[in-house]
Amino acid sequence: MFILVIKITSHIYPIQIKLNFIKQYYYLSLIITVRKKIIAGNWKMHKTQAEALEFLSVLKLNLANTTEKADIVLCVPFTLLSLLSKSLHGGNIHLGAQNIHWANEGAFTGEISGSMLVDLNANYVIVGHSERRQYFGETDKIVNEKVIAAQYHKIKPILCVGETKKQRDAGEVEKVIVKQLEQSLVNVDQGNLVIAYEPIWAIGTGETCNVLEANRIIGIIREQVTNKGITIQYGGSVTPKNISEIMTQPNIDGVLVGGASLNPLSFSEIINY
Ligand code: PGA
């Protein structure tokens, strides 16, 4: 006789199979991990309040009769957080920011702290995006401190890693990614984390990474983390055209979308992949 007990805890599904065999019980425990899929938009430095409201009304219409295959997150500029936290309240679209300071408060002109993001109901924050690393000097150490700050405030960080074209051409992809992860994950709670693999040469260029290659690198990222249930996204020129192929890859748990998340029609097509 088989008794199958399925307990659902968060997004990890431990399955215990109890075998009754000649009056003896043999317990066989299997852990099957079902990872959460997340589709996130990164608006970067785009949209006024009026444009954001217009976007939302069209997006909501387009998503009205669809069954969600993934959690949806919109990572918007700081100036839109307050407005969108009201418009998204009670709905199924989560709110995210694009940056966080490592300190809780202090003399850091122009910066935004975790408690300020909590105040505006941001549940997610992008950390270590290549544009922040490239234009604002963010190192792996700073990224690590920001990830820890986000987690301290119970905001889920979306940690971005990825290589440049030069590093890829030099055969250094694995080395670069492993180093970024090692340095960014020091003292990080892997139970409250999303990782996005974003090859820098694929961001905003229309040159998507080959899906098999993206799947391979994400597999390498998963080998580096202790929590195998972490959602790992792909990012870099994701469009309605390539989304279904990307989402069929076994290691890829979602996408981080820049340009195509600015248009409610293309973003809803991506969500409905
Ligand atoms: P993209 O941007 O989709 O425009 O390439 C992705 C990102 O920067 O996260």
Side-chain angles (χ1 to χ4, degrees):
M1 183 180 80
F2 278 95
I3 301 170
L4 185 62
V5 185
I6 303 184
K7 281 193 258 166
I8 301 180
T9 326
S10 178
H11 301 288
I12 308 221
Y13 294 54
I15 296 187
Q16 188 182 70
I17 298 174
K18 190 178 172 190
L19 300 170
N20 183 353
F21 180 62
I22 324 176
K23 291 192 180 166
Q24 298 207 22
Y25 292 99
Y26 293 85
Y27 292 94
L28 174 63
S29 285
L30 299 172
I31 298 289
I32 298 180
T33 305
V34 179
R35 300 185 305 264
K36 186 197 269 209
K37 288 191 167 48
I38 302 176
I39 293 183
N42 172 12
W43 280 2
K44 308 192 180 184
M45 196 172 70
H46 291 283
K47 292 198 192 294
T48 61
Q49 298 189 70
E51 287 165 349
L53 288 181
E54 168 73 21
F55 171 99
L56 269 193
S57 63
V58 180
L59 184 75
K60 283 179 180 169
L61 267 182
N62 275 279
L63 298 182
N65 298 317
T66 57
T67 8
E68 268 171 56
K69 300 182 197 165
D71 284 8
I72 308 163
V73 182
L74 271 179
C75 297
V76 303
F78 294 131
T79 48
L80 296 175
L81 285 172
S82 172
L83 178 74
L84 291 206
S85 91
K86 288 174 199 119
S87 316
L88 297 177
H89 183 73
N92 50 2
I93 302 174
H94 303 274
L95 187 60
Q98 300 170 14
N99 191 17
I100 181 173
H101 195 269
W102 61 80
N104 196 29
E105 59 181 6
F108 298 103
T109 303
E111 290 292 324
I112 309 282
S113 73
S115 42
M116 293 169 182
L117 296 182
V118 169
D119 201 28
L120 298 172
N121 302 311
N123 307 116
Y124 287 82
V125 62
I126 298 173
V127 179
H129 190 281
S130 59
E131 287 151 15
R132 301 269 345 148
R133 294 175 190 258
Q134 186 182 348
Y135 303 123
F136 303 98
E138 287 192 9
T139 60
D140 287 325
K141 174 140 192 337
I142 292 174
V143 169
N144 173 247
E145 288 176 9
K146 291 186 170 199
V147 169
I148 291 172
Q151 292 187 333
Y152 175 81
H153 291 283
K154 310 244 176 326
I155 300 170
K156 199 178 274 266
I158 302 178
L159 165 66
C160 301
V161 293
E163 80 287 354
T164 62
K165 183 84 176 133
K166 201 166 156 219
Q167 289 165 331
R168 174 160 284 272
D169 291 345
E172 293 172 350
V173 181
E174 291 83 351
K175 197 178 88 187
V176 169
I177 304 283
V178 168
K179 183 169 162 274
Q180 286 177 339
L181 288 171
E182 272 172 8
Q183 300 192 352
S184 320
L185 292 180
V186 178
N187 295 327
V188 162
D189 168 13
Q190 295 193 9
N192 183 29
L193 180 71
V194 173
I195 297 177
Y197 168 55
E198 296 211 305
I200 297 168
W201 48 272
I203 295 177
T205 57
E207 196 186 338
T208 322
C209 182
N210 175 287
V211 287
L212 297 178
E213 174 61 3
N215 188 62
R216 185 182 78 83
I217 300 295
I218 289 178
I220 292 172
I221 294 174
R222 202 173 304 286
E223 280 167 20
Q224 300 304 310
V225 292
T226 45
N227 174 9
K228 305 300 177 195
I230 289 181
T231 297
I232 308 182
Q233 303 172 305
Y234 165 77
S237 297
V238 175
T239 66
K241 279 210 172 91
N242 56 30
I243 183 68
S244 47
E245 198 187 5
I246 292 170
M247 293 304 284
T248 55
Q249 297 305 309
N251 289 328
I252 303 182
D253 307 323
V255 283
L256 182 54
V257 190
S261 75
L262 291 171
N263 179 314
L265 300 179
S266 55
F267 194 48
S268 54
E269 277 184 62
I270 289 173
I271 292 165
N272 291 326
Y273 66 91

